[in-house]
Amino acid sequence: MDKLLLYNCSQIVTPKGSHIKKGKEMDQVEVMQNASIYMEDGIILFLGANEEVLHRLGAAYIEQIPGDIMVIDGAGRTALPGFVDSHTHFIFGGYREVEFMERLSGASYLDIMRKGGGIQSTVNATRSYGEDRLFADGRNRLHDMLSQGVTTVEGKSGYGLDLACEEKQLRVMKELNKVHPVEIVSTYLGAHAVPLEYKNDPAGYVTYMVEVVMPKVKEKNLAEFCDVFCEEEAFDTEQSRFLLTEAKKMGFEIKIHADEIYDLGGGRLAAELGAASADHLLMISEESMAALAESETVASVLPCTAFCLNKPFAPAKKMIESGCGLALATDFNPGSSFTNSIPLMLSLAVLKMGMTLPQALTALTLNGAAALKRADKIGTLEAGKQGDIVLLEYPDYRFLIYHTAKNIVHSVIKNGHLVYKKEES
Ligand code: NIG
Ligand code: FE
């Protein structure tokens, strides 16, 4: 049996519970001082004040702990639940630096897409990459995420569009999940763009996904979620509704890229269909906000995307005041958000979007877990949850934003094992 004691942390800070936190509830995080966490076989058995935890292990002093328990010293450090990056597109071929510069000179994201660039250019590159290359790049990106405290990441397909390349992307994630400590949750996003082959027949492409690709993805157990880019130049509300309804019938959980550039009512649609999350929401309407607040659907905001596209942020503060439950994710992808920076995201959320630090922490942990239908297993530090823990270099969680846009992760525990430790300089 694997036994691990994380002893004498300056702080343990965590939201609590196994469900989405909405509105004011997002502020409720527990702060324990001088506290410890005990795990067996990857699961948290108990946590609390140092003396209490020692006592439950039959010891009065740390020196009396049985020899088969591995001890990690938490002195001077803050323990937080492992971060959940619940929206990324981290498996892709090629880069789009030219397009980034074109945007800086005034071209819009949709203009570039209309001219055959954007997502389609990453599709061309991803189709040309072998599985080994996608795997090697994916592994490097996962290492980088882990070093920033990410213990669970969602990854989408959507840069293949045809059956072979969508399966390739999803297979690469499945293989990476076997060998890398960061847990990967896969999403089929065939409805990311209409591929060139179907340029004049978008309805035919929707039929192809529903009749050919989705049954295969399901049969091979390559994805848990199905997502749609509901947007002008991509898929309209009716196509999105149809595709996601069919996906639900096949047993997929569902998500929507909603109201990013135009408000097509994607937020409302996500609530109506019982989606796990509606993501982006830069242009969310009052109506969609009210619908999401009434629902169990997580409203995922992706500040790095708004930042990189130079667009106004989603109205996070107003959404929380309206009673929505927000998650924060990076949207890491080669186009609209070529950054996986957790520190930048937290700084933007708090300094620019008006979220409080406890709200941002809840959004990056428990609500991120809810967006992946895993709030019963991860997202908080409580008895019965997975031992997924981030240790910060500092003794107080407020350094997360005070040390602005800086990675202050010292080490990471996944499933009760130390899987990352920053090299001391
Ligand atoms: O979430 N908006 C659609 N999909 C991605 C961008 C993908 C890309 O530009 O390659 C997003 O922003
Ligand atoms: Fe996205």
Side-chain angles (χ1 to χ4, degrees), residues 118-130:
I119 293 170
Q120 184 61 48
S121 86
T122 300
V123 169
N124 297 341
T126 308
R127 285 181 181 175
S128 76
Y129 271 42

Side-chain angles (χ1 to χ4, degrees), residues 125-168:
T126 308
R127 285 181 181 175
S128 76
Y129 271 42
E131 224 152 304
D132 289 357
R133 192 164 174 199
L134 289 174
F135 183 92
D137 287 352
R139 190 172 47 197
N140 287 337
R141 291 170 190 155
L142 288 171
H143 286 332
D144 196 46
M145 292 174 197
L146 182 65
S147 71
Q148 300 179 67
V150 173
T151 48
T152 303
V153 67
E154 183 254 17
K156 301 176 196 292
S157 67
Y159 290 130
L161 307 182
D162 61 12
L163 175 65
C165 190
E166 287 291 303
E167 283 195 353
K168 179 169 74 179

